[in-house]
Amino acid sequence: MLISNELKAGDVWEVNDAGTAFAVVRSSLGLRVKMFDEHGKAVLDSDVVQGLNLNDIRFASLYLHAERDMRVTVWVGKHKYDYTPQPERAVSIVSRTIATRPGVNKLLDFDPPRLRALIEAPFDMWIGGANMKAEFGAIKNGRLFKGGSEIELTNFGDIYYFISAENKRVFQSQSIQLPYVVKWLNYNNNMPYTRSQLEGESVPYFDVFIPDELDNVPFDLQIDDTVRTYPWTETGGGPYEAGIYATVGDIGTEVLKLFKYDRSVNTSKVSTPEGDTNWPYGNKTLSITLSKGWHRLFMACVSPPKTTARENGHANFTPSVMYFESVFTNQDALLSLGDVQILEERA
């Protein structure tokens, strides 16, 4: 008879049926069978793989042990297992997206039920098996696929990929003038800002995907900024503050959380000459903590000096004197060039 079971890693499946034929119709790597005669003596103890077909092996009972999670289908009986599959395609189709990172990493696990996989990435990517290596800039045992091309694989073994290592991931690469989005609630009718409000006011943003390993774990954003002055009437009164308003929960939520840092320009003692654009260039580290998943991060000047706002009539969402020249990270888990689309046809 043909029997199936879903096994978790470490599970033991006992089958108390006697027979002389045993076949593994479906399994993954890491399945072991032990057979016993009517006196309880072991007649077979071996690892087995999908496609194994044994005949004339008399047993009274057996058990199967799984080293990993898998779905198992076996034939147990007194009659030989003999089946020629119809020329049909997969019973099921699975589609998913995975985030990538630089270096050699696993793309697909060993999975015998996988008949075919279609893979597409927006960047150049090397594909190979477990023996693929990247040594001194050279890729061994791999093949290069150009970005945007569709890769078809009919191998059910372990599949690895390689993409060029980057020492940082840049989210904002061009100089951008920040709007005032002042954190004081009286600038927003004593109401917190929302995602839709900032989007509606064209506050610049970038999106970030947080993987499981960074779920609510702090990581650093590196921000290069400049402060460019207005005419000499632009007087100081305290430090400027720049910040990131990030969505809480996921990219579609309205609730925002502010991460900010002080940007002192030492202007409280003297006025600034008209046309002076040589205020200090800053390189700041901003610690960010977000839940896993996609988030939208808005960039803003969150509090100009109070005298500046009062004397120069600054209002929310008007251009500020602060610029982000670049925003990037060196966090390994975020050094991804993008996502890979995978579609699998499975038996």
Side-chain angles (χ1 to χ4, degrees):
M1 63 178 174
L2 198 64
I3 52 177
S4 300
N5 200 357
E6 293 277 354
L7 300 181
K8 298 294 184 182
D11 281 356
V12 174
W13 178 20
E14 296 185 14
V15 180
N16 294 309
D17 291 304
T20 57
F22 172 78
V24 181
V25 180
R26 174 177 182 162
S27 77
S28 294
L29 193 66
L31 183 65
R32 190 173 187 86
V33 66
K34 192 167 185 178
M35 298 180 175
F36 304 89
D37 63 16
E38 61 272 18
H39 304 295
K41 180 180 179 181
V43 296
L44 179 66
D45 184 3
S46 174
D47 290 333
V48 292
V49 296
Q50 180 174 306
L52 178 78
N53 193 355
L54 301 177
N55 298 291
D56 298 325
I57 180 168
R58 192 175 300 276
F59 56 90
S61 63
L62 60 88
Y63 73 72
L64 296 157
H65 175 263
E67 295 180 357
R68 64 174 72 184
D69 295 354
M70 68 178 77
R71 183 177 179 182
V72 178
T73 300
V74 295
W75 172 268
V76 178
K78 298 179 179 178
H79 302 284
K80 178 181 177 181
Y81 177 76
D82 188 8
Y83 172 68
T84 301
Q86 296 293 325
E88 297 177 353
R89 295 312 299 164
V91 173
S92 63
I93 293 178
V94 178
S95 180
R96 65 184 186 276
T97 300
I98 68 167
T100 60
R101 63 182 61 186
V104 177
N105 299 280
K106 183 176 285 189
L107 182 66
L108 296 172
D109 288 320
F110 176 93
D111 189 2
R114 183 173 66 240
L115 300 180
R116 183 172 72 134
L118 297 176
I119 301 168
E120 186 172 345
F123 43 81
D124 293 353
M125 180 171 63
W126 294 79
I127 296 290
N131 62 344
M132 185 172 68
K133 297 180 181 179
E135 297 179 348
F136 307 106
I139 308 302
K140 297 182 178 179
N141 305 315
R143 177 185 170 187
L144 176 63
F145 291 88
K146 303 299 290 184
S149 62
E150 187 175 71
I151 307 166
E152 180 178 0
L153 300 176
T154 56
N155 187 308
F156 59 72
D158 290 329
I159 304 296
Y160 287 76
Y161 71 89
F162 169 85
I163 55 178
S164 299
E166 299 284 340
N167 60 9
K168 67 181 180 180
R169 181 178 179 188
V170 179
F171 298 109
Q172 175 64 40
S173 60
Q174 297 179 337
S175 180
I176 185 169
Q177 187 174 14
L178 303 182
Y180 286 116
V181 185
V182 180
K183 67 180 186 297
W184 304 322
L185 291 182
N186 60 359
Y187 272 68
N188 193 43
N189 298 318
N190 292 314
M191 297 293 292
Y193 298 107
T194 64
R195 174 188 57 81
S196 295
Q197 183 180 12
L198 299 196
E199 288 178 349
E201 296 289 350
S202 300
V203 177
Y205 64 82
F206 57 89
D207 297 334
V208 177
F209 180 80
I210 305 300
D212 289 350
E213 62 197 274
L214 284 184
D215 183 23
N216 291 306
V217 175
F219 66 93
D220 290 339
L221 284 181
Q222 306 295 326
I223 299 175
D224 291 338
D225 67 22
T226 55
V227 178
R228 306 180 189 179
T229 67
Y230 288 159
W232 63 271
T233 54
E234 186 76 31
T235 58
Y240 285 85
E241 290 180 313
I244 298 286
Y245 286 95
T247 54
V248 175
D250 60 50
I251 199 170
T253 57
E254 291 293 332
V255 179
L256 300 174
K257 181 177 181 179
L258 174 62
F259 302 90
K260 64 184 181 66
Y261 65 88
D262 290 343
R263 179 65 163 88
S264 176
V265 291
N266 300 319
T267 60
S268 59
K269 295 182 180 179
V270 296
S271 298
T272 304
E274 183 173 354
D276 181 3
T277 58
N278 295 318
W279 286 19
Y281 179 92
N283 184 288
K284 299 293 183 179
T285 298
L286 184 60
S287 180
I288 302 286
T289 304
L290 300 171
S291 60
K292 64 183 179 181
W294 283 101
H295 292 269
R296 180 151 292 177
L297 280 64
F298 296 89
M299 300 170 283
C301 179
V302 301
S303 63
K306 294 181 180 179
T307 56
T308 299
R310 180 172 61 251
E311 295 176 8
N312 296 283
H314 293 317
N316 255 358
F317 308 115
T318 60
S320 76
V321 298
M322 290 198 68
Y323 289 71
F324 278 177
E325 306 300 334
S326 68
V327 181
F328 61 94
T329 186
N330 299 108
Q331 168 57 247
D332 289 344
L334 294 178
L335 298 183
S336 171
L337 298 178
D339 298 326
V340 174
Q341 306 293 326
I342 301 175
L343 185 145
E344 292 181 287
E345 295 181 356
R346 302 172 56 82

